[in-house]
Amino acid sequence: NSGRSVGSFLSSLLIANNVIVPVTAWCSQQKCTTYATTSLHATKEDTSFSENGMMTNDDHSRRNFFKIGATAGMVAMTTTMTTSSPAGAVERAVGGAELECQKAGNCLEIGEWDGAVGWQWGAKDRCDPTDPRCGTDGKLMDAPPTGEPVPEITNSITHEVEVSLSIGRTDSGVLRLGLYGQDCPLSVQQMLDFCSTGIVTTSRLMFEDGYGISSAPILLDNGGLLTGIVPGQRLDFGIPSQAAAYAKSKGKAKAGDNFQPQPRPKIPEIPNEPFVRKHAVAGLLSMPSKGLGYGGSGLEPEDEAFGSTFEITGGSVPSMDREGRRVIGQILDEESMAFLARLVSLPTRKGFQGVIPGQNSGPPLVKVSVRGITVKSVQS
């Protein structure tokens, strides 16, 4: 009644195309916008809505509704109604990107879950996630984190890869990696393809005009993100959606119904490559034993198969050995180790995929994007 924005969410069930879908409505200043609750990577490319907020009959988006399950149900159960806090407190608790999407009413469409759910862990006491001193617990540290020692080089380095990353809009850094091409040639070649020409598992004719199909190679600097953080332990990089990456590269809002994602690669020799090093120190580059595209549960649709592509250790993580992951390279210099320490201490969207409470791991609160990659061979 006071005219102030009410940050409340109303959860219900929507029956569309014979599918029961949990729905979230964002209500602000007597205006409600209804969205279907989808997965963490929900974007405009994943879900279509009409002007009144209801889902349209779109085959491409309908296939994603089955991924909701317990996650969306838990969101509906744990959502509470809150009133807006003073401007300063909201800014510290939610952050600039979340505030912007709340004003625009498109948090779910662009994947800003903190803004959509009104997630305010730490409330006014949580530090600004763009501050280098802001730790994973939301507390402001006395100084930015310092890097662990550069890993000892135990295997021959055949290639160097420099990955440039941006943290939000104001911070950036580089991770300089060396790859063990002599010990794990097939795994390393797959990583090199991912960082240079792109991974292709279909006919390249799909990339040409006139065939009625749209597709593109899977390339780290085309839609690559830091998709997950286990604080102090590991970073997870990947491409959450091939369709979204393709649409962005073409300057489109949507990839289109003719878009076909690249399936997971099938290289039977990769699982037989040796495990040359344990995940015993910070700064090791790790990939799934079956190769890139197999880092998730295996139940993801092909469009999201590369959401978890490779990881970098933030410390000693023996559980990664038990998971059957393979070390294929390492960080090479102190500057990269310092930047790694910054990344692994970023505040996260706490809980499973940043939605369900109870865990510290999740996507970073501040978007971390791949901005450029350089690859070069190293003379032996």
Side-chain angles (χ1 to χ4, degrees):
N1 294 332
S2 64
R4 296 175 60 186
S5 174
V6 177
S8 62
F9 282 86
L10 307 178
S11 298
S12 59
L13 290 178
L14 170 68
I15 299 178
N17 302 315
N18 297 320
V19 180
I20 299 177
V21 181
V23 172
T24 299
W26 167 256
C27 299
S28 175
Q29 294 180 341
Q30 299 180 346
K31 178 181 179 181
C32 293
T33 306
T34 304
Y35 298 101
T37 305
T38 58
S39 69
L40 168 67
H41 307 303
T43 62
K44 289 182 180 179
E45 292 76 27
D46 290 325
T47 311
S48 298
F49 300 92
S50 60
E51 291 183 359
N52 64 4
M54 301 298 289
M55 290 180 294
T56 61
N57 184 14
D58 186 306
D59 290 337
H60 176 70
S61 59
R62 271 188 293 146
R63 67 187 184 189
N64 290 315
F65 295 161
F66 293 97
K67 298 178 293 180
I68 301 165
T71 299
M74 183 64 73
V75 171
M77 288 187 291
T78 58
T79 299
T80 57
M81 183 173 294
T82 60
T83 57
S84 62
S85 303
V90 173
E91 206 166 323
R92 292 176 62 81
V94 181
E98 288 82 359
L99 286 175
E100 290 177 8
C101 77
Q102 287 178 358
K103 292 178 181 178
N106 64 348
C107 293
L108 281 174
E109 291 183 82
I110 66 175
E112 287 291 352
W113 283 86
D114 281 342
V117 182
W119 202 265
Q120 295 188 14
W121 64 270
K124 65 180 180 180
D125 296 325
R126 203 202 72 196
C127 52
D128 180 355
T130 62
D131 191 326
R133 298 174 299 159
C134 187
T136 55
D137 58 357
K139 304 297 183 181
L140 199 63
M141 299 179 289
D142 293 334
T146 57
E148 296 285 331
V150 177
E152 178 186 357
I153 298 178
T154 59
N155 303 79
S156 297
I157 304 294
T158 59
H159 299 82
E160 292 183 5
V161 178
E162 290 189 0
V163 182
S164 299
L165 300 164
S166 63
I167 303 177
R169 299 177 181 176
T170 59
D171 200 359
S172 63
V174 174
L175 295 175
R176 183 167 164 257
L177 304 167
L179 306 184
Y180 305 153
Q182 289 187 5
D183 299 291
C184 311
L186 296 177
S187 299
V188 166
Q189 185 58 55
Q190 196 176 48
M191 184 70 183
L192 290 172
D193 291 343
F194 186 49
C195 294
S196 56
T197 59
I199 294 175
V200 177
T201 59
T202 60
S203 171
R204 288 188 176 270
L205 293 176
M206 294 177 61
F207 307 149
E208 301 180 7
D209 296 332
Y211 286 88
I213 295 176
S214 300
S215 190
I218 306 160
L219 189 60
L220 180 58
D221 68 352
N222 180 24
L225 299 173
L226 173 58
T227 55
I229 301 173
V230 180
Q233 296 187 42
R234 57 208 283 187
L235 301 175
D236 198 348
F237 293 87
I239 299 175
S241 167
Q242 294 184 55
Y246 175 82
K248 185 176 181 179
S249 70
K250 298 296 183 181
K252 299 179 179 180
K254 186 177 180 180
D257 294 336
N258 292 331
F259 178 79
Q260 294 292 329
Q262 296 290 308
R264 293 173 174 84
K266 296 180 179 179
I267 306 177
E269 297 82 5
I270 284 184
N272 297 324
E273 290 200 309
F275 295 88
V276 299
R277 190 168 187 175
K278 300 289 187 181
H279 296 81
V281 296
L284 299 181
L285 174 63
S286 174
M287 66 183 288
S289 60
K290 291 183 179 180
L292 303 186
Y294 295 90
S297 66
L299 302 177
E300 302 86 359
E302 289 180 346
D303 182 59
E304 300 176 8
F306 294 84
S308 174
T309 309
F310 66 89
E311 297 187 8
I312 299 177
T313 59
S316 175
V317 194
S319 61
M320 296 176 73
D321 297 319
R322 295 192 292 271
E323 292 169 15
R325 299 186 64 89
R326 179 179 289 107
V327 176
I328 65 166
Q330 65 176 80
I331 285 179
L332 295 176
D333 56 41
E334 293 181 356
E335 292 79 8
S336 296
M337 291 299 294
F339 188 50
L340 171 65
R342 166 90 167 97
L343 294 173
V344 83
S345 65
L346 285 173
T348 60
R349 301 181 183 187
K350 293 179 179 291
F352 176 70
Q353 291 193 335
V355 178
I356 299 178
Q359 299 180 1
N360 289 328
S361 59
L365 273 175
V366 180
K367 187 176 182 180
V368 179
S369 306
V370 177
R371 293 305 182 193
I373 302 174
T374 60
V375 178
K376 67 178 182 179
S377 298
V378 177
Q379 297 295 330
S380 57

